[in-house]
Amino acid sequence: KIIAKDWENAFWEIPNTKSNHKERTEHPAQFPIALAERCVLACSNENDWVFDPYAGVGTSLVAAIKQGRKAVGAEKEDCYVNIAKERIQSFYSGHLPYRPLGKPIYRPSGKTKISRIPEQWKDEEGVY
């Protein structure tokens, strides 16, 4: 249902994994599980194999497993392989922090610190 709605809207709203995103790891180019899930659901069926030749920290592998697929990946960096293993084990144990597919994006109210324009951006007249 979520994927069908996204298709109708022709727009995917998925936050990146920077800053305080609950899925964030030390990988500099990590993407969210919700993005990989959409690709897994679009390109495979339950019990199919999903192969990621650049597995990184295992995001696509977790997405595949989460959606009832079998997953295998390749990664040359040992530190990322270790993180991927930990993430997969955490998923199986129910302790992996991830943002559920289809969760609405947080919209700041305009009164929170994150949504205010910094004072130092004002010009001499106090205008932004």
Side-chain angles (χ1 to χ4, degrees), residues 44-58:
S44 66
N45 295 309
E46 203 166 330
N47 294 315
D48 280 354
W49 280 95
V50 172
F51 172 58
D52 185 351
Y54 304 96
V57 292

Side-chain angles (χ1 to χ4, degrees), residues 1-126:
K1 290 180 182 180
I2 293 164
I3 304 302
K5 183 180 176 196
D6 286 347
W7 183 258
E8 288 173 17
N9 294 338
F11 189 75
W12 292 356
E13 285 196 294
I14 304 169
N16 64 36
T17 55
K18 304 292 186 248
S19 190
N20 63 348
H21 194 285
K22 62 174 38 179
E23 296 174 23
R24 190 174 193 293
T25 69
E26 65 184 66
H27 195 286
Q30 181 183 347
F31 51 90
I33 294 170
L35 177 60
E37 275 185 282
R38 284 169 167 82
C39 298
V40 165
L41 288 167
C43 298
S44 66
N45 295 309
E46 203 166 330
N47 294 315
D48 280 354
W49 280 95
V50 172
F51 172 58
D52 185 351
Y54 304 96
V57 292
T59 300
S60 57
L61 307 178
V62 170
I65 294 165
K66 189 170 179 276
Q67 292 301 328
R69 278 64 169 169
K70 300 169 196 142
V72 65
E75 175 56 53
K76 68 179 190 129
E77 301 296 332
D78 288 339
C79 62
Y80 297 151
V81 170
N82 293 333
I83 293 170
K85 286 179 183 178
E86 288 173 19
R87 292 179 80 206
I88 291 167
Q89 289 170 348
S90 293
F91 175 75
Y92 279 124
S93 70
H95 295 100
L96 179 69
Y98 64 89
R99 191 173 191 282
L101 182 65
K103 181 178 179 181
I105 302 288
Y106 170 72
R107 303 273 184 229
S109 67
K111 297 179 181 181
T112 60
K113 185 175 182 180
I114 193 169
S115 62
R116 286 187 289 216
I117 299 173
E119 291 294 317
Q120 59 266 35
W121 287 11
K122 288 183 180 178
D123 62 15
E124 295 81 37
E125 287 97 39

